[in-house]
Amino acid sequence: MTQNADRAGDRAYIRDLGRAFGGALLFSLPLLMTMEMWALGFAAEPHRRLVYLLAALPLLFGLAHYAGFSARRGLVNNLLDTLVALAVGYVTAAALMSIFNVLDYSSASSAVGQVTLQAAPAALGALAARRQLSDASDEDGEDQASYPGELFLMLAGALYFAMNLAPTEEMRLIAYLATPLGALGVLVLSIILLHLIVFEAGFAGQEKAETPLRAFLDFTLPGYGLCLLASLAMLWVFGGTDGHGLQALVANVVVLAFPAAIGAAAARLLV
């Protein structure tokens, strides 16, 4: 009986692991096929890549707690899921970039740097795979997020969307072309959409709040603040803050915070 249970558990874990690879591919594919990310992998300063990877670890650990690619929970299991998801991210990124022939083999540090930048979003996808690639029956008994947990999930979604767009030249061009009034319009639109998508659109999984004003003060404004923080962090990692005056920096952050706000809203609906 015990052997049968062990075998069933092994089969379930293999299934979960396969789903994690699917989620890693799904979430990382846009970045894996982005030319700027190939270049930044070896052009970005080593200390920025290190900060990027170290900052990803608590983010992934939190996602392992609230989502996770397996049904196991607890401190040790969350830590194991985090490390396995990161390994899945590295394997997925290395394999696809090798197939695409975009790795720089001139030095080991260049190739490792390229894969490292891609591994974090792939690992995020691996951890979200169970929620997004499984049937509803797998979701029974999932952890419900507290208020800090809800804000954490918003930050995770904001970081993922900002991560996908911060390296691209298009984001910097939009910020360069934006007038002060246009940047203000983007800011206001970001806040409105963040609030409407989560609290007013009627999507499954939306947060129930006592009043729209309470929801706006408790979630929307703090959530948008996290979007600004996530945008600034991703711009710094990818060199988007270098050589800018205050006005240009604010424009870049506000423009990137627009997709980050959509990501924050989506994370609370989907994770």
Side-chain angles (χ1 to χ4, degrees), residues 2-255:
T2 303
Q3 288 183 342
N4 291 336
D6 290 341
R7 289 175 182 173
D10 290 342
R11 286 195 296 269
Y13 189 76
I14 291 173
R15 178 199 62 195
D16 292 338
L17 194 58
R19 197 157 50 200
F21 274 101
L25 177 62
L26 179 65
F27 274 64
S28 66
L29 198 56
L31 286 175
L32 283 168
M33 303 185 76
T34 299
M35 184 171 61
E36 290 89 348
M37 283 293 286
W38 306 340
L40 284 167
F42 57 81
E45 297 169 332
H47 73 276
R48 299 198 193 202
R49 296 202 302 258
L50 179 61
V51 170
Y52 171 80
L53 181 60
L54 292 178
L57 292 177
L59 175 68
L60 295 175
F61 182 83
L63 288 173
H65 174 71
Y66 288 113
F69 68 84
S70 73
R72 306 175 308 175
R73 288 297 182 270
L75 181 62
V76 174
N77 287 326
N78 290 342
L79 179 59
L80 290 175
D81 277 4
T82 299
L83 296 177
V84 172
L86 194 57
V88 168
Y90 269 96
V91 171
T92 302
L96 286 177
M97 294 184 78
S98 296
I99 292 172
F100 298 155
N101 197 30
V102 296
L103 284 177
D104 179 14
Y105 294 107
S106 62
S107 69
S109 62
S110 294
V112 170
Q114 286 180 294
V115 174
T116 296
L117 283 188
Q118 303 280 4
L124 188 151
L127 289 170
R130 186 165 179 264
R131 289 293 185 94
Q132 301 309 313
L133 302 180
S134 63
D135 58 41
S137 63
D138 283 349
E139 306 304 323
D140 296 336
E142 296 290 353
D143 292 305
Q144 296 299 313
S146 61
Y147 176 69
E150 294 279 8
L151 294 181
F152 167 79
L153 292 176
M154 296 179 80
L155 176 61
L159 281 169
Y160 174 71
F161 271 57
M163 190 187 307
N164 271 272
L165 293 169
T168 64
E169 290 296 327
E170 288 81 1
M171 295 302 297
R172 300 177 192 185
L173 177 60
I174 292 171
Y176 174 77
L177 295 175
T179 64
L181 185 60
L184 179 61
V186 171
L187 186 151
V188 172
L189 180 61
S190 301
I191 294 175
I192 291 174
L193 289 178
L194 174 59
H195 186 76
L196 290 179
I197 290 174
V198 177
F199 297 101
E200 303 296 339
F203 291 160
Q206 75 179 52
E207 186 68 21
K208 302 300 182 183
E210 294 180 3
T211 65
L213 178 60
R214 181 67 180 270
F216 184 80
L217 295 176
D218 286 352
F219 289 98
T220 304
L221 284 184
Y224 186 69
L226 293 174
C227 292
L228 293 173
L229 180 63
S231 299
L232 179 61
M234 288 298 99
L235 285 170
W236 177 82
V237 167
F238 298 125
T241 60
D242 298 348
H244 289 307
L246 180 60
Q247 182 175 339
L249 178 61
V250 169
N252 274 272
V253 171
V254 168
V255 167

